[in-house]
Amino acid sequence: MANVVVVGAQWGDEGKGKIVDWLSSRADVICRFQGGHNAGHTLVVDGKVYKLHALPSGVVRRGKLSVIGNGVVLDPWHLLSEIETIRAQGVEITPETLMIAENTPLILPIHGELDRAREAAARPGAKIGTTGRGIGPAYEDKVGRRAVRVADLADEATLQARVDRALAHHDPLRRGLGIEPVDRDALIAQLHEIAGQIFEYAAPVWKVLNERRRSGQRILFEGAQGALLDVDFGTYPFVTSSNVIAGQAATGTGIGPGAIDFVLGIVKAYTTRVGEGPFPTELHDEDGQRLGERGHEFGTTTGRKRRCGWFDAVLVRQTCATSGVNGISLTKLDVLDGFETLKICVGYELDGKVLDYLPFASEEQARCVPVYEEMEGWSESTEGARSWADLPAAAIKYVRRVEELIGCPVALLSTSPERDDTILVTDPFAD
């Protein structure tokens, strides 16, 4: 049976939540494989709005198993709060419907404190624009071999040893930033308090997934953020602290890369970005304002206003290559309704040359000037369209040109936040 990886192919906020929720009707297991609760997915199901941050988008589907993989960094206090919020909306969440990988690293309160202190101390122009929720420092502790992981909550000696190793690193950093040393006993007491509630969801996820796969079940792998925030292939240093591209689905859950049958890239019909960093097609005019207002471009997690710009085919072509995207889901096409003229970036001018990719050097990125191709817009509404016949000819022409420029076909077309307002071209789960 086919297994599918869903990745954002821009800077995040492409509408992954809706698409993952829509695809989850075809899946048996839905796995989150990277990131933390700095990401946010908004689902609209029968008019009810669910806002998810740490929980996989599949939790709103009855009878499905949702999994938080080891590639995620998990704030246990936030997770428990989110579970209660979603339960209050009528969603059942139990250890039978939610599993957390035993080797998942935890985000501790000290990580958020360090994150916020660093951003506050950063020089003008050097701020990364993090959410301040501790994701970066938690990943640093993971690769520094000083993380507290879910499995550690079950053994007192191991837990204390992990905390001591972490504090040997954090306390000197805190002194340098003018923060009080960590209250070790209070931190351990906090972990004791939540240990049982978290550990009831713990499982050898790698083993469960491989067994489910062998039994013929379909697995959907869900990423957070977008490929342009990948720590290796994104617009470094204005990136997240994890690998976002599709290859991370394997290492972030413990299932081999050969288990991945289809990679679906989620792509907004224009471009947005939250936080600092380069954005070649960003608009500071009425068109940019109009995109933001029509698209309700505010972050699910932070509420921050998103920067808006025209569709950048260069960047999407690049991320489709690095993630091995087989097909894209084009979202928010309806936001472009009513524009007389649309623009698509087809290259960058840099030092008298036209590039067909975004260079890695930060100062070169800052000097890239977009080369645009103009297309005729449409006045008719595409909102809620569920077939190609419902779309204006100019909208279909726009979609086809996007396919040509990025070298990847459209598998799904989304025309509103509602689950069923989706045009299926290719079923990613087709065997």
Side-chain angles (χ1 to χ4, degrees):
M1 304 292 281
N3 299 314
V4 176
V5 176
V6 174
V7 294
Q10 294 161 308
W11 277 292
D13 309 310
E14 302 96 347
K16 291 185 294 298
K18 171 199 166 170
I19 299 301
V20 169
D21 172 60
W22 190 86
L23 285 171
S24 65
S25 66
R26 293 164 167 76
D28 301 292
V29 184
I30 299 91
C31 300
R32 173 83 181 274
F33 63 82
Q34 55 78 220
H37 65 303
N38 54 338
H41 291 163
T42 300
L43 311 181
V44 181
V45 183
D46 298 328
K48 184 178 285 190
V49 178
Y50 302 91
K51 292 185 181 292
L52 306 177
H53 304 276
L55 290 168
S57 296
V59 294
V60 299
R61 289 279 187 180
R62 291 185 181 275
K64 309 291 181 178
L65 173 63
S66 290
V67 170
I68 296 175
N70 58 276
V72 172
V73 284
L74 181 67
D75 182 326
W77 297 275
H78 172 87
L79 177 67
L80 293 174
S81 174
E82 188 172 322
I83 287 173
E84 288 308 309
T85 298
I86 300 303
R87 278 177 176 160
Q89 292 185 271
V91 176
E92 183 181 11
I93 299 177
T94 69
E96 285 68 47
T97 61
L98 175 66
M99 286 185 183
I100 304 172
E102 295 171 325
N103 51 337
T104 300
L106 300 180
I107 301 173
L108 306 178
I110 59 176
H111 294 131
E113 292 165 3
L114 179 59
D115 200 357
R116 294 186 290 274
R118 281 175 170 170
E119 279 287 279
R123 300 186 309 274
K127 294 182 185 295
I128 301 299
T130 77
T131 60
R133 299 193 173 197
I135 282 77
Y139 273 117
E140 290 175 37
D141 279 0
K142 174 183 176 177
V143 298
R145 299 181 295 277
R146 54 181 174 266
V148 176
R149 304 197 296 180
V150 170
D152 301 332
L153 297 175
D155 182 76
E156 181 64 22
T158 301
L159 178 61
Q160 295 210 25
R162 293 282 190 271
V163 169
D164 287 341
R165 182 174 174 84
L167 297 193
H169 174 78
H170 280 265
D171 277 339
L173 285 178
R174 293 168 72 92
R175 282 196 297 272
L177 290 165
I179 312 174
E180 291 293 320
V182 177
D183 186 332
R184 175 187 181 276
D185 292 341
L187 175 58
I188 290 176
Q190 285 179 286
L191 289 167
H192 284 161
E193 186 178 355
I194 56 90
Q197 297 173 77
I198 292 297
F199 204 74
E200 68 174 320
Y201 297 103
V205 158
W206 68 270
K207 184 174 183 292
V208 172
L209 293 182
N210 279 280
E211 288 172 349
R212 295 281 183 121
R213 182 192 173 216
R214 284 196 297 271
S215 70
Q217 292 194 8
R218 291 172 167 175
I219 305 172
L220 181 62
F221 299 91
E222 171 189 18
Q225 290 96 24
L228 291 170
L229 294 175
D230 185 274
V231 71
D232 286 306
F233 290 97
T235 48
Y236 191 91
F238 302 100
V239 293
T240 194
S241 301
S242 60
N243 286 110
V244 180
I245 60 177
Q248 177 63 18
T251 53
T253 60
I255 198 164
I260 298 170
D261 300 295
F262 193 98
V263 178
L264 181 69
I266 313 300
V267 179
K268 199 175 283 186
Y270 49 102
T271 310
T272 63
R273 175 167 199 168
V274 171
E276 307 298 324
F279 185 170
T281 66
E282 183 175 9
L283 296 171
H284 300 281
D285 57 11
E286 290 182 2
D287 286 336
Q289 181 74 13
R290 185 177 176 184
L291 287 171
E293 290 174 355
R294 286 182 55 85
H296 306 290
E297 297 298 351
F298 296 91
T300 301
T301 299
T302 63
R304 288 186 293 180
K305 183 179 180 180
R306 296 174 186 142
R307 301 153 64 189
C308 298
W310 295 120
F311 186 82
D312 192 329
V314 180
L315 287 180
V316 175
R317 182 171 62 245
Q318 197 162 318
T319 57
C320 283
T322 56
S323 271
V325 172
N326 301 105
I328 68 165
S329 173
L330 192 66
T331 67
K332 289 199 166 185
L333 183 68
D334 54 301
V335 174
L336 300 182
D337 293 353
F339 279 90
E340 187 174 331
T341 302
L342 301 170
K343 294 182 180 181
I344 299 177
C345 176
V346 296
Y348 305 124
E349 187 176 332
L350 178 66
D351 300 333
K353 297 180 180 179
V354 176
L355 302 181
D356 62 356
Y357 68 97
L358 184 70
F360 282 127
S362 297
E363 67 88 20
E364 290 185 346
Q365 290 178 352
R367 291 189 292 113
C368 282
V369 177
V371 177
Y372 286 117
E373 176 180 296
E374 292 191 356
M375 295 191 68
E376 180 185 357
W378 55 89
S379 57
E380 306 94 321
S381 173
T382 63
E383 185 175 359
R386 298 185 181 183
S387 73
W388 289 107
D390 297 332
L391 296 176
I396 295 174
K397 186 176 180 181
Y398 181 84
V399 173
R400 295 307 185 202
R401 185 57 178 151
V402 165
E403 289 180 313
E404 291 174 5
L405 290 169
I406 67 174
C408 195
V410 168
L412 294 157
L413 188 63
S414 172
T415 57
S416 94
E418 287 290 342
R419 177 189 282 170
D420 294 328
D421 291 342
T422 305
I423 300 172
L424 176 64
V425 181
T426 301
D427 185 351
F429 279 116
D431 297 323

